[in-house]
Amino acid sequence: MNQAAEIEKSIRKKFHKELFSRFAKAVRDYELIQEGDKIAVCISGGKDSMLMAKLFQELQKHRKVSFELEFLVMDPGYLWENRKMIENNAAGMNLPITVFETDIFDAVYEIEKSPCYLCARMRRGHLYNQARELGCNKIALGHHYDDVIETILMGMLYGGQIQTMMPKLHSTNFPGMELIRPMYYIREADIKRWRDYNGLKFLQCACRFTENCARAESESQSESKRLEIKNMIAEMKKINPFVEGNIFKSVENVNLSTIIAYKKEGVKHHFLESYGEHITY
């Protein structure tokens, strides 16, 4: 059995519950795919997006909904060896990728303030644009469950706001386009177990600022706010094993009657606006 067949078998058998079932559940729960969709599966070269591509292929075999896939790889200025790693992995995993080039790394290299934020925004724009040119109406990103709960805590502790990474979004700059996150329920630890079981090596970090960390995961774990939050959650889990699920559920169980203020479609609402309408004894 070749490498791609082994990888596909591991998704169907050994990791079916942890990976495919959760992938399919997110697609169902959040209505991420509709009949006739053409989805650009955005592959960065890391473990998350490469697995997402294989899960989409597996889902397509079930034929419950008819949809098309484009496996889209953006080269923002990778080192040659990093670009080659992505291409080799795609070939070994039977992923027919479409690669397009940009100069994003060059554009943000001299930026001192928030280069990562600017890079991410520019990447998103290029992906939307290329996906639209290929006739797609959606782009899919490989953010997983751990990304979601880390984002919730980061927003609270460092942004002073309650928000989450949404499972799907309408694009504001590309009308008619949507962003979907079908890995929403999948745990990072399970992705790593799948990767290691199949003996796969993916890009860890290929950014121009930290390009050396593409060689080892330990090096890629640079001190950052997200890593800080990840470690904080791990410590809290030692005391309360349900802490991750509770963080995730917290943005599903928001009680607006106990919120001081909130924003809706850019407009801020304060509890005093309707306070006089209700009398509590």
Side-chain angles (χ1 to χ4, degrees), residues 38-40 72 124 127-139 169-180:
K38 188 172 183 181
I39 303 166
L72 195 56
R124 187 79 54 85
L127 288 168
Y128 268 125
N129 190 59
Q130 189 68 22
R132 187 169 61 181
E133 287 188 11
L134 291 170
C136 299
N137 63 313
K138 293 178 179 177
I139 66 170
L169 291 167
H170 288 290
S171 171
T172 52
N173 297 320
F174 296 85
M177 298 285 291
E178 280 185 81
L179 178 156
I180 61 173

Side-chain angles (χ1 to χ4, degrees), residues 5-277:
E6 289 284 1
I7 290 168
E8 290 162 8
K9 181 181 177 184
S10 73
I11 291 172
R12 287 194 305 271
K13 303 291 184 181
K14 185 172 180 61
F15 296 98
H16 187 273
K17 180 180 178 182
E18 297 87 347
L19 300 179
F20 184 75
S21 289
R22 291 179 182 176
F23 185 85
K25 179 173 169 55
V27 168
R28 262 192 330 270
D29 286 356
Y30 299 119
E31 300 177 358
L32 301 183
I33 300 176
Q34 278 77 41
E35 189 76 24
D37 278 346
K38 188 172 183 181
I39 303 166
V41 181
C42 300
I43 298 174
S44 66
K47 66 185 189 313
D48 307 328
S49 61
M50 297 296 276
L51 171 60
M52 175 177 66
K54 295 306 296 180
L55 289 168
F56 263 115
Q57 284 184 327
E58 188 65 28
L59 186 68
Q60 204 172 36
K61 294 174 185 175
H62 287 67
R63 303 289 181 186
K64 290 186 177 180
V65 176
S66 178
F67 62 94
E68 295 180 62
L69 297 172
E70 288 280 352
F71 299 101
L72 195 56
V73 176
M74 181 183 65
D75 183 345
Y78 289 137
L79 293 175
W80 178 86
E81 56 263 37
N82 291 337
R83 166 80 172 257
K84 197 66 181 171
M85 178 183 282
I86 295 173
E87 291 172 341
N88 290 343
N89 277 333
M93 296 174 71
N94 192 27
L95 293 171
I97 59 174
T98 297
V99 182
F100 71 100
E101 298 179 356
T102 69
D103 60 355
I104 290 176
F105 282 175
D106 288 336
V108 302
Y109 190 64
E110 301 297 331
I111 304 295
E112 292 184 9
K113 188 176 181 181
S114 303
C116 297
Y117 173 77
L118 179 61
C119 181
R121 289 293 298 271
M122 290 179 70
R123 282 170 177 253
R124 187 79 54 85
H126 279 290
L127 288 168
Y128 268 125
N129 190 59
Q130 189 68 22
R132 187 169 61 181
E133 287 188 11
L134 291 170
C136 299
N137 63 313
K138 293 178 179 177
I139 66 170
L141 301 185
H143 297 116
H144 49 67
Y145 185 97
D146 297 73
D147 291 324
V148 175
I149 62 175
E150 289 161 16
T151 298
I152 294 169
L153 273 192
M154 285 180 72
M156 292 176 66
L157 301 180
Y158 297 115
Q161 57 189 339
I162 296 175
Q163 63 177 18
T164 189
M165 182 180 279
M166 297 295 286
K168 64 179 180 181
L169 291 167
H170 288 290
S171 171
T172 52
N173 297 320
F174 296 85
M177 298 285 291
E178 280 185 81
L179 178 156
I180 61 173
R181 294 184 170 104
M183 305 268 282
Y184 213 74
Y185 290 148
I186 295 178
R187 301 306 309 266
E188 185 177 27
D190 293 324
I191 299 173
K192 289 180 177 179
R193 278 193 283 271
W194 167 83
R195 175 198 64 191
D196 296 343
Y197 176 82
N198 286 287
L200 298 167
K201 302 289 184 184
F202 298 119
L203 286 189
Q204 301 297 340
C205 174
C207 171
R208 185 74 60 80
F209 299 98
T210 54
E211 55 196 14
N212 289 332
C213 69
R215 295 170 176 80
E217 184 166 6
S218 59
E219 294 174 18
S220 73
Q221 297 295 316
S222 58
E223 287 300 319
S224 65
K225 295 302 180 189
R226 186 166 288 276
L227 179 59
E228 211 174 283
I229 292 293
K230 190 184 290 286
N231 292 335
M232 184 184 301
I233 293 172
E235 288 300 312
M236 289 191 291
K237 191 178 177 182
K238 293 177 183 177
I239 302 168
N240 176 8
F242 306 107
V243 71
E244 293 159 310
N246 288 341
I247 295 170
F248 187 91
K249 291 174 185 174
S250 68
V251 291
E252 293 182 342
N253 298 318
V254 177
N255 185 346
L256 290 183
S257 64
T258 65
I259 297 294
I260 299 294
Y262 66 94
K263 283 184 180 179
K264 185 174 182 180
E265 297 177 355
V267 178
K268 187 172 181 178
H269 300 274
H270 197 276
F271 86 103
L272 287 178
E273 292 173 7
S274 57
Y275 183 74
E277 298 172 9

